Amino acid sequence: MGSKRKAEEQSTVSISIDSSKAKVQPVLATFAAAVPPVASEFTSYRGMGAEKSNDYIVASSTEKIEFVGQTFDGARPLVTGCRYLVGVYDPSTDSVTFRPAPYVRVTSAIKSLKDARGVADRDISARLMQARTELGEAFGSKKRRAQIRAEERNKIDMDGVKSDMAVIGASIELRASSMPSAQALKDAENVNRPVPRYNPDTSVAAEIYDMEDVLPRAVAGHINIASLTASMDPEVYKSKVPTRSLFVKKKLEHLVSQPKPDAYKVRCVLYLSYLMRLNMTSNKQLANREACIKSLCCAPEVIDALFDKFAECVAGTVNPDGSPMYKKTPATENKLVCYMSVLMLSLNNWVLYPAELAGDLGIPGKKAEKFLASVGCKLEAVTAAEVAAQTLNKRTASRSGKKAVLQGPIKFPKASLRGN
């Protein structure tokens, strides 16, 4: 019973081939670049005479692009040795009718750029390229055939690209309009420089940087210098100011030996020693505020000011005593060295030797030169004798080098594209 029921449910589909020369018949087409809209109408043309009876041309156009397809390439047909059929199923008669379908290759051309000579030149070039490709496919090596296929995949159809030029241009203009101007970029770079507040217009070196930003008076008032200025004994201030900086030792010895020491400059030198010790302090040591106060030998108010300016607060973490935890970052470390450089320049008549900065910070001479250039100094060549006479660093005394001079109006170096 099961086999009989399956046999009754099976239906028979009749198949036929329509070889009549109907005026309307299907066409198989491939598009090289641009594809027309789905609802586009094509007009077909058939060759006249026995020799051209199998030649077909189809054509269509939109507002901007013309589409032309043909079954031949010059004097040769596109397809040889086979033919294509398209089947149409009729559910009312349960039959499939196959009709011959010529194969055409459709190319596109932009109407506004169409030029008789230009089109002819492009056609000749395309034919030469096609002939070269066919020779390579037929007689080339395996490597050459693979190269030809790769070239075909990477080929850019200029007609298709030109049709999108207006869209590409509009997209570029839209993005360009939202980009900041050169002046806006320059202003943003100046705002983000890790240097103290400065006056870009003055030509007086002492007026370029705002020293109130380098060492605020409120912070300077918490730097105790009474024990230093009251004694003429160098051993007293050496014990009060534990530092390895030769620059600090030289300046402090000179200031306290004066009959009436300049109190503000003495505080500046002591503040510089704090900055240098902070530069040597690790993030692990920064976590202990009380230990930092003892290490830097300064008042708690000075430590708070240093942390606020040259360190970043670690969000969500506090010290055992409830105080916020701070850490140094590459940005704050660069800012710290720039402030030290400006402070050393102010104490040395706005001239500083990179060898001196490098010796005190334990960094290479080239890096010290970059820091001094970043605060607006101009580097000048000097002799080894001048370096030896002006610095206490024995490592650089016998070697020629440079000196950094701050002059106005200040000029900063251009930002490096490599970010270093």
Side-chain angles (χ1 to χ4, degrees):
M1 287 296 291
S3 300
K4 183 177 181 180
R5 183 175 298 172
K6 289 182 180 179
E8 290 176 354
E9 291 177 353
Q10 290 178 352
S11 60
T12 303
V13 178
S14 62
I15 298 176
S16 62
I17 298 178
D18 184 3
S19 299
S20 62
K21 304 298 183 179
K23 291 183 178 180
V24 179
Q25 65 182 60
V27 175
L28 293 178
T30 58
F31 297 87
V35 179
V38 176
S40 300
E41 294 183 0
F42 279 78
T43 303
S44 63
Y45 305 90
R46 186 179 179 184
M48 302 296 291
E51 295 180 357
K52 302 288 186 178
S53 61
N54 292 326
D55 292 346
Y56 287 85
I57 296 177
V58 295
S60 179
S61 66
T62 63
E63 184 179 355
K64 296 182 179 180
I65 304 177
E66 288 183 354
F67 297 93
V68 178
Q70 55 192 29
T71 59
F72 53 88
D73 184 9
R76 298 184 308 169
L78 293 178
V79 178
T80 58
C82 67
R83 62 173 181 162
Y84 294 94
L85 300 174
V86 173
V88 179
Y89 173 70
D90 187 355
S92 62
T93 60
D94 206 16
S95 63
V96 177
T97 303
F98 286 93
R99 289 184 174 88
Y103 166 74
V104 298
R105 183 182 298 154
V106 181
T107 58
S108 58
I110 302 173
K111 292 181 179 180
S112 61
L113 301 177
K114 188 176 180 182
D115 177 78
R117 181 178 178 182
V119 171
D121 290 343
R122 288 197 297 271
D123 288 345
I124 293 173
S125 177
R127 289 177 184 177
L128 290 174
M129 184 63 70
Q130 181 66 26
R132 177 185 168 192
T133 300
E134 291 177 356
L135 286 173
E137 288 283 2
F139 303 104
S141 63
K142 184 177 180 181
K143 182 178 180 181
R144 174 58 183 156
R145 290 196 296 270
Q147 183 181 359
I148 290 173
R149 288 192 291 271
E151 290 175 354
E152 289 291 333
R153 288 193 300 269
N154 297 328
K155 187 183 296 183
I156 299 175
D157 182 74
M158 294 308 299
D159 290 337
V161 173
K162 289 176 182 177
S163 65
D164 296 330
M165 286 296 290
V167 178
I168 296 173
S171 178
I172 293 174
E173 291 179 0
L174 179 63
R175 284 163 173 77
S177 62
S178 62
M179 293 179 62
S181 63
Q183 184 62 39
L185 291 173
K186 184 178 179 181
D187 293 341
E189 183 181 4
N190 289 336
V191 169
N192 296 325
R193 290 187 187 280
V195 298
R197 289 192 300 268
Y198 62 93
N199 182 355
D201 301 320
T202 183
S203 57
V204 181
E207 298 176 358
I208 293 177
Y209 283 107
D210 182 6
M211 296 308 296
E212 177 65 19
D213 186 33
V214 179
L215 175 56
R217 295 281 178 176
V219 177
H222 293 285
I223 301 177
N224 186 10
I225 63 170
S227 60
L228 297 178
T229 57
S231 175
M232 301 294 292
D233 188 359
E235 297 301 326
V236 174
Y237 66 79
K238 287 181 181 180
S239 62
K240 297 289 185 180
V241 187
T243 180
R244 293 182 296 176
S245 169
L246 298 179
F247 182 89
V248 170
K249 291 179 180 179
K250 178 179 68 173
K251 291 300 176 183
L252 201 56
E253 182 177 356
H254 172 74
L255 288 172
V256 298
S257 64
Q258 301 297 317
K260 189 176 181 180
D262 188 326
Y264 179 71
K265 286 190 175 181
V266 173
R267 288 188 172 95
C268 285
V269 175
L270 291 178
Y271 187 69
L272 176 62
S273 70
Y274 301 155
L275 296 182
M276 288 189 172
R277 285 201 291 273
L278 180 64
N279 184 60
M280 300 297 179
T281 304
S282 65
N283 280 330
K284 185 177 180 180
Q285 294 171 317
L286 283 182
N288 192 331
R289 181 173 176 272
E290 295 300 326
C292 285
I293 294 176
K294 293 180 180 179
S295 174
L296 271 63
C297 300
C298 62
E301 293 81 3
V302 177
I303 280 290
D304 293 338
L306 294 178
F307 280 9
D308 289 339
K309 188 179 287 287
F310 303 113
E312 291 184 1
C313 183
V314 181
T317 58
V318 294
N319 290 313
D321 60 356
S323 61
M325 185 177 293
Y326 289 88
K327 71 173 183 178
K328 292 189 296 183
T329 65
T332 60
E333 288 178 343
N334 288 338
K335 182 178 180 180
L336 177 59
V337 177
C338 288
Y339 272 66
M340 282 192 290
S341 301
V342 173
L343 192 54
M344 293 173 74
L345 285 163
S346 69
L347 292 168
N348 208 48
N349 200 23
W350 305 106
V351 177
L352 189 64
Y353 294 86
E356 207 162 22
L357 179 64
D360 280 357
L361 300 185
I363 60 176
K366 290 293 183 182
K367 192 171 184 179
E369 292 176 6
K370 286 184 178 181
F371 276 119
L372 290 170
S374 67
V375 299
C377 288
K378 181 181 178 182
L379 296 173
E380 299 178 357
V382 293
T383 61
E386 183 176 351
V387 176
Q390 298 295 331
T391 68
L392 299 177
N393 193 339
K394 297 180 181 180
R395 186 179 62 180
T396 59
S398 61
R399 186 175 60 194
S400 62
K402 297 179 181 179
K403 68 178 178 180
V405 182
L406 186 66
Q407 297 174 341
I410 191 170
K411 291 183 180 180
F412 295 104
K414 292 183 180 180
S416 172
L417 296 177
R418 297 178 295 177
N420 53 15

